[in-house]
Amino acid sequence: MDDLLREFLTETAENLDVVDVEIVKLEQDPNNRDVLSNIFRLVHTIKGTCGFLGLPRLEALAHAAENVLGKFRAGEMTVTEDAVSLILEALDGIKAILSVLEATEQEPAGDDAAIIARLDDMAEGRYTPPAAAVPAPVPAPAPVPAAEVVAMPAVLPERTPKPGEVSLDELEAAFQMAPGPEAIAAGAPPLLSEEEAAATAVVARDQQAPPARPAEHADAEPRGESAVANQTLRVSVDLLENLMTMVSELVLTRNQLLQMVRRMGDTEFSGPLQRLSLCTSELQESVMKTRMQPIGNAWAKLPRIVRDLSHELRKKIDLQMHGAETELDRQVLELIKDPLTHMVRNSADHGLETPEERRAAGKPETGRVTLNAYHEGGHIIIQVADDGRGLNLAKIKAKVAAGGYASEAELEAMSDAQLGRYIFHPGLSTAEKVTSVSGRGVGMDVVRTNIEKIGGTIDLKTVAGKGTTFQIKIPLTLAIVSALIVECAGERFAVPQIGVVELVRATPDSEHRIEVINRTPVVRLRNRLLPLIFLADTLKLVPEGTKRPDEAFIIVAQVGNQTFGIVVDRVFDTEEIVVKPVASILRNNTLFSGNTILGDGSVIMILDPNGLALQTGEALRENQDGQTEVVAAGAAAERTSLLIFKAGGAEPKAVPLSLIARLEEIEVGRIERSNGKPVVQYRGRLMPLVCLDPEFRLKTEGGQPVLVFADGERAMGLAVDEIVDIVEDELKVELKAARPGLIGTAVVAGQATGVVDVAHYLTMAYDDWFRRSAAEMPATERHRSLLLVDDSPFFRSMIMPVLSVAGYDVTAAEDAASALKLREQGAKFDLILSDIEMPGMDGFEFAETVKAEGRWRDTPIIALSSRTAPSDFERGRQVGFIDYVAKGDREGLLESLRSTLDNKRRAA
């Protein structure tokens, strides 16, 4: 049976039972307004629910009864016995239909026109009670003494006798004919012999043929108790909470007993205790089910909220809800209601465009907000998505910079996902003005805080022009959770398994060994770098400066899209723990979410992975896989030729091969000193030698490997220990470097590798490397301004030195939106160099926009991309690119820039 129908039958059966009692009270006390209002409300509820479920026969009958009750409530009619009887008859009809509905799950055929007509007549004041049938003549009774005859007044029966019944007159006459107790005691014979009485009873049964009944009452048999209604029982929430508390204590006691038996070994208690453990687990599961409610209960008010917002904001909004039947703990459900409500309001206000804006963008006028919920690995995933404009990252960046939350340099190094997460920062709002819906900058901060309070996480994905998706991950319950028991510096802790991905054993000679990259401990896990948090250091369990162990257990934890490792000494086992709130003195400590009692009676703290992530946020690697899938789905990874070398340590370093002019090995005897710095005579000129690290020392004998970077007649040599290899790999910087000279760390050829910032060392060799004097540059190349549009911070940092060396004043934009903002601000450039694969608006759309209108319409645009198929060249020419250069072709790029400027000058 459908859950909705079962719930309807249960509730309606309860309501009808109440109405039966209340309507009898009303007949006894017609002026009781409270009883009358309660009856009317219950019948109205039955009618409304029938209409919602599409049960027209029930709805019509309940509606007719409601009309009569409405007249009573309005004081237009008085409560009479006939009216009450008619109402009860209607209720009997409703019960009969419900019986068939419960058995067949379908409303029975037929109609109730006759009783509905009588109810309508009653409501209109036209109802006349049916006349009683005239009783059949009764045979003259045997003579009795006159003194015993009592004359009875002739009265009209109140109703027509039913089959098998007799009228009051007949009953009274038979009573008078029967001998009294005294006569029987004196030996008077009975009126009928036993044989006559039996024969009369048989004849009466045979002659009592049931009369034909109207169709509407064909199934109005006396109705027993509803089987569906008897399957449910309403209990107090407080009773359930108390039951849950007692089960929690039982779980703790069970854990203690199990711990004792483990220490004692195999005893006679093992069998009974195993049975007790099984029963406790089953009891715990059953009690947990009593607390589970569908998440649709938290969504019940959202359609009305969206409808009101649609009118207030003058937007067309379609709310779609999937997975409403997904169940979670009642306590979690109550805590998630407000965050969900705010996020839906936020999507409607900030996310969705107006109908005019959507039409202009080629979208349907009606925007869509989608709610989706599902189970995944012991927790609930809730997604709130819209198909609107996406987050305005440029506006967020401006707000962040204006609020002083991050520096310009930090903002430039951030990914779109990192930048988007600033909307969870308190006080930051992208709304233009404060309204009743938004603009105060407190909503999303409160959302994140409330979700993290229940051990959940929230993250987002956004695509400009496509929409934003928020994903919430919350536990099924807060009372009893599964946790991993670990030890660190002699102290035990519990780590909730909801945040644990896997366990890794790190040793110096294994594949998973702890390395230090840019002063940050990391471990390589399946060709990905994983930042590490040493729990002993974070919790200050060991003196500062204590040597970190080479062998350890690493708990791979995930918080939102952040993945990191927690280093501990030992891992014991998983255990069902009862979460107890922390003491008030520790309430503001974000590292702990509670405490619990283990089986041996000891109290341990429960670690909060969210708090650990906040404590060590600078060391965490942002996992951008999800974002990459959104903004560049299907795009092929760009592979770059890289030179791998070592300098100043065992950590490998890498630099793009396209930036290197030559590889040399210079005899140590040729190295001289000038102003205290090493130089070497190279091709008729002095070439400064720069060391990669201040602690690096040049070799004292043999040959010194040098990477030569040159521009025209200038050259700089970067001294290294050894040149390892040349590889072609995807260059994806995963960890930002804290020291100058390194951009960050990437996995190259399966190994953690530092990526060198060449521009830093060029300026160490020549202060004016990027500020060449006018005498060194042709007049046609002086102060040529160039706009570089590329979403890769690494590529921008690599190509800008090349362009600066060639004499161009370079301005960089991280995407097409930022570039167009410069156009709106009045910026002018001689050339525009644009990438093709960019989030939001790609290079082709950017070129079309630039060439369509505005001050840059006549500015030459050159495409720079790894997509070099003939079809890409053809499309580039169609949208307005004057040339198409492959990434990595340094000479080809510079030649294209020179020829473009020459052609522009000649055309002028």
Side-chain angles (χ1 to χ4, degrees):
M1 181 180 293
D2 181 68
D3 289 341
L4 197 59
L5 180 60
R6 179 181 289 106
E7 197 68 30
F8 163 73
L9 291 172
T10 301
E11 181 179 328
T12 305
E14 292 175 357
N15 288 343
L16 288 174
D17 290 342
V18 174
V19 170
D20 282 342
V21 175
E22 294 288 277
I23 206 161
V24 173
K25 289 182 182 178
L26 181 67
E27 186 176 19
Q28 297 170 353
D29 185 7
N31 297 321
N32 193 324
R33 305 296 299 175
D34 293 337
V35 171
L36 181 58
S37 296
N38 190 32
I39 296 172
F40 181 84
R41 179 181 59 80
L42 293 173
V43 174
H44 177 77
T45 299
I46 294 172
K47 183 203 76 170
T49 312
C50 292
F52 176 76
L53 292 178
L55 303 172
R57 185 177 174 187
L58 274 173
E59 182 184 12
L61 188 53
H63 179 68
E66 181 190 19
N67 288 341
V68 176
L69 293 170
K71 295 289 185 179
F72 292 159
R73 193 174 65 157
E76 299 176 11
M77 287 176 54
T78 56
V79 179
T80 63
E81 183 180 354
D82 290 331
V84 170
S85 298
L86 191 58
I87 294 292
L88 287 173
E89 188 177 348
L91 294 180
D92 288 340
I94 291 176
K95 292 177 182 179
I97 297 173
L98 287 176
S99 297
V100 179
L101 182 63
E102 181 180 332
T104 65
E105 300 186 25
Q106 291 183 348
E107 202 174 41
D111 62 57
D112 306 276
I115 189 171
I116 290 176
R118 290 160 60 197
L119 288 167
D120 290 343
D121 289 344
M122 174 73 72
E124 298 297 330
R126 303 190 302 267
Y127 180 73
T128 302
V134 178
V138 181
V144 295
E148 297 183 15
V149 177
V150 180
M152 300 294 295
V155 294
L156 187 66
E158 295 184 355
R159 59 182 176 84
T160 303
K162 294 183 179 179
E165 295 181 344
V166 295
S167 67
L168 292 176
D169 289 341
E170 293 174 298
L171 184 63
E172 182 64 27
F175 178 77
Q176 295 296 337
M177 290 172 58
E182 296 81 0
I184 294 175
L191 194 62
L192 293 175
S193 66
E194 293 184 3
E195 292 79 7
E196 290 174 327
T200 303
V202 170
V203 171
R205 280 200 304 270
D206 292 341
Q207 292 178 349
Q208 186 178 330
R213 292 184 298 169
E216 65 268 22
H217 298 294
D219 35 50
E221 296 296 335
R223 181 174 180 269
E225 293 293 328
S226 168
V228 173
N230 287 336
Q231 291 177 356
T232 60
L233 177 67
R234 295 181 184 270
V235 297
S236 168
V237 173
D238 292 337
L239 178 61
L240 288 179
E241 294 293 340
N242 185 49
L243 187 59
M244 188 69 218
T245 301
M246 298 308 297
V247 169
S248 300
E249 296 300 325
L250 181 60
V251 169
L252 288 177
T253 306
R254 185 270 312 269
N255 293 344
Q256 290 177 339
L257 291 173
L258 288 174
Q259 194 81 11
M260 292 168 56
V261 169
R262 288 193 190 103
R263 290 198 300 265
M264 295 169 60
D266 191 11
T267 67
E268 66 272 17
F269 300 111
S270 299
L273 185 57
Q274 190 174 17
R275 176 62 182 162
L276 175 64
S277 177
L278 180 62
C279 293
T280 302
S281 298
E282 292 178 353
L283 178 62
Q284 174 189 338
E285 185 178 350
S286 300
V287 173
M288 293 296 296
K289 285 181 179 179
T290 65
R291 293 166 55 99
M292 303 300 277
Q293 289 186 330
I295 197 172
N297 293 354
W299 295 354
K301 297 181 180 179
L302 294 180
R304 170 65 186 275
I305 291 173
V306 169
R307 182 258 178 200
D308 293 345
L309 283 173
S310 178
H311 285 267
E312 183 178 350
L313 302 173
R314 297 182 179 179
K315 297 179 180 180
K316 296 181 179 180
I317 307 173
D318 175 26
L319 177 65
Q320 298 184 1
M321 297 184 287
H322 307 289
E325 69 282 355
T326 305
E327 291 187 332
L328 72 165
D329 190 278
R330 172 185 159 275
Q331 185 181 1
V332 180
L333 187 70
E334 291 298 324
L335 294 172
I336 204 68
K337 280 184 180 179
D338 289 342
L340 281 178
T341 301
H342 182 87
M343 292 177 68
V344 170
R345 292 169 63 90
N346 198 68
S347 294
D349 185 23
H350 290 289
L352 297 181
E353 310 96 330
T354 62
E356 296 77 15
E357 292 172 336
R358 293 183 66 87
R359 281 198 304 269
K363 297 181 179 181
E365 286 188 2
T366 302
R368 185 173 66 251
V369 177
T370 305
L371 283 172
N372 188 26
Y374 56 91
H375 287 277
E376 184 180 273
H379 46 263
I380 299 287
I381 303 295
I382 305 172
Q383 294 175 334
V384 182
D386 65 72
D387 65 344
R389 60 173 65 92
L391 294 181
N392 190 333
L393 296 177
K395 184 180 290 186
I396 293 175
K397 181 182 287 188
K399 292 276 188 178
V400 171
Y405 304 123
S407 65
E408 290 290 343
E410 291 172 333
L411 289 173
E412 286 298 324
M414 287 182 186
S415 65
D416 289 348
Q418 289 173 302
L419 194 59
R421 292 189 187 103
Y422 270 97
I423 67 171
F424 298 115
H425 198 285
L428 192 143
S429 175
T430 57
E432 298 292 343
K433 59 182 179 179
V434 175
T435 67
S436 61
V437 180
S438 64
R440 295 175 179 83
V442 296
M444 297 307 293
D445 169 49
V446 173
V447 167
R448 184 181 67 173
T449 302
N450 289 345
I451 290 173
E452 290 181 350
K453 279 181 180 178
I454 59 176
T457 61
I458 182 171
D459 202 16
L460 64 88
K461 298 176 183 177
T462 184
V463 183
K466 302 293 184 182
T468 303
T469 299
F470 292 90
Q471 180 165 299
I472 302 172
K473 181 178 179 182
I474 54 178
L476 279 173
T477 181
L478 300 181
I480 300 177
V481 299
S482 180
L484 189 67
I485 309 301
V486 302
E487 185 180 86
C488 185
E491 297 286 342
R492 284 183 293 175
F493 300 92
V495 182
Q497 279 196 303
I498 186 175
V500 176
V501 179
E502 60 181 307
L503 292 175
V504 175
R505 173 68 170 165
T507 59
D509 54 351
S510 70
E511 177 187 358
H512 307 300
R513 61 181 181 273
I514 297 175
E515 307 175 46
V516 178
I517 306 293
N518 299 329
R519 300 181 180 85
T520 300
V522 296
V523 66
R524 251 187 317 115
L525 185 63
R526 290 183 288 277
N527 290 334
R528 302 176 68 182
L529 291 178
L530 197 68
L532 299 178
I533 297 171
F534 282 83
L535 192 60
D537 295 344
T538 304
L539 299 181
K540 296 180 171 50
L541 300 177
V542 296
E544 194 170 343
T546 302
K547 186 180 182 301
R548 290 170 173 172
D550 294 326
E551 296 187 13
F553 288 96
I554 299 174
I555 303 170
V556 180
Q558 185 170 5
V559 176
N561 268 3
Q562 296 177 338
T563 306
F564 58 97
I566 305 172
V567 181
V568 298
D569 299 336
R570 297 174 65 188
V571 175
F572 293 102
D573 200 357
T574 58
E575 192 170 314
E576 295 286 331
I577 62 172
V578 179
V579 179
K580 302 288 187 180
V582 295
S584 57
I585 193 172
L586 296 174
R587 195 158 294 159
N588 295 324
N589 191 325
T590 59
L591 297 178
F592 304 114
S593 60
N595 54 55
T596 188
I597 304 174
L598 293 182
D600 59 3
S602 59
V603 178
I604 67 170
M605 302 302 295
I606 303 173
L607 294 174
D608 184 0
N610 292 294
L612 289 173
L614 291 174
Q615 285 286 100
T616 54
E618 290 299 321
L620 294 181
R621 172 180 59 83
E622 294 290 341
N623 182 345
Q624 299 178 31
D625 290 347
Q627 178 194 359
T628 303
E629 292 174 2
V630 174
V631 300
E638 298 181 7
R639 303 178 71 84
T640 307
S641 294
L642 300 168
L643 177 74
I644 309 299
F645 62 93
K646 291 184 179 180
E651 175 195 350
K653 308 288 193 305
V655 66
L657 189 61
S658 60
L659 299 179
I660 301 173
R662 286 171 295 278
L663 301 177
E664 301 283 358
E665 186 166 330
I666 299 172
E667 289 294 328
V668 173
R670 292 176 51 198
I671 299 176
E672 305 173 64
R673 291 277 171 173
S674 175
N675 296 324
K677 295 181 179 180
V679 296
V680 65
Q681 296 183 35
Y682 183 74
R683 299 195 174 188
R685 289 182 176 271
L686 286 177
M687 179 177 71
L689 294 182
V690 178
C691 298
L692 194 68
D693 191 279
E695 300 176 359
F696 176 76
R697 295 291 180 264
L698 296 175
K699 292 188 176 182
T700 56
E701 59 181 16
Q704 174 65 58
V706 174
L707 312 183
V708 178
F709 301 85
D711 177 57
E713 296 180 350
R714 286 189 174 189
M716 182 272 289
L718 187 63
V720 301
D721 286 335
E722 67 172 308
I723 295 170
V724 178
D725 198 2
I726 295 176
V727 300
E728 187 172 329
D729 203 345
E730 179 187 2
L731 188 58
K732 182 180 178 183
V733 178
E734 300 193 24
L735 282 178
K736 182 182 174 183
R739 66 174 183 137
L742 285 179
I743 294 173
T745 306
V747 176
V748 178
Q751 192 168 8
T753 305
V755 181
V756 175
D757 182 4
V758 178
H760 172 76
Y761 297 103
L762 293 176
T763 54
M764 288 179 63
Y766 296 95
D767 291 338
D768 61 345
W769 184 282
F770 299 129
R771 300 189 301 272
R772 301 173 62 189
S773 64
E776 298 180 52
M777 296 177 59
T780 56
E781 294 185 12
R782 294 175 195 163
H783 306 298
R784 291 295 188 180
S785 59
L786 183 147
L787 174 63
L788 173 63
V789 186
D790 195 293
D791 65 301
S792 169
F794 172 76
F795 185 78
R796 292 199 304 268
S797 65
M798 287 294 98
I799 200 64
M800 285 178 66
V802 175
L803 298 173
S804 299
V805 165
Y808 298 97
D809 293 333
V810 184
T811 300
E814 65 178 3
D815 54 27
S818 302
L820 294 176
K821 189 173 181 180
L822 291 174
R823 184 181 68 171
E824 295 171 4
Q825 295 172 352
K828 294 182 179 180
F829 299 98
D830 296 311
L831 286 167
I832 299 176
L833 187 61
S834 175
D835 187 18
I836 296 298
E837 301 87 359
M838 294 186 293
M841 182 185 293
D842 64 17
F844 294 128
E845 295 172 331
F846 172 64
E848 285 181 316
T849 303
V850 169
K851 292 298 182 182
E853 60 181 357
R855 65 177 72 247
W856 292 353
R857 184 186 304 173
D858 299 324
T859 304
I861 309 178
I862 298 175
L864 189 64
S865 176
S866 60
R867 293 166 56 173
T868 55
S871 58
D872 295 324
F873 291 152
E874 179 60 29
R875 186 181 178 191
R877 281 191 289 269
Q878 290 175 358
V879 299
F881 286 116
I882 64 169
D883 201 357
Y884 204 107
V885 181
K887 278 188 174 181
D889 187 359
R890 174 187 174 189
E891 297 301 327
L893 172 62
L894 295 177
E895 178 59 33
S896 176
L897 293 174
R898 279 193 292 268
S899 62
T900 300
L901 287 174
D902 289 342
N903 293 336
K904 182 179 180 181
R905 187 178 64 256
R906 283 195 296 268

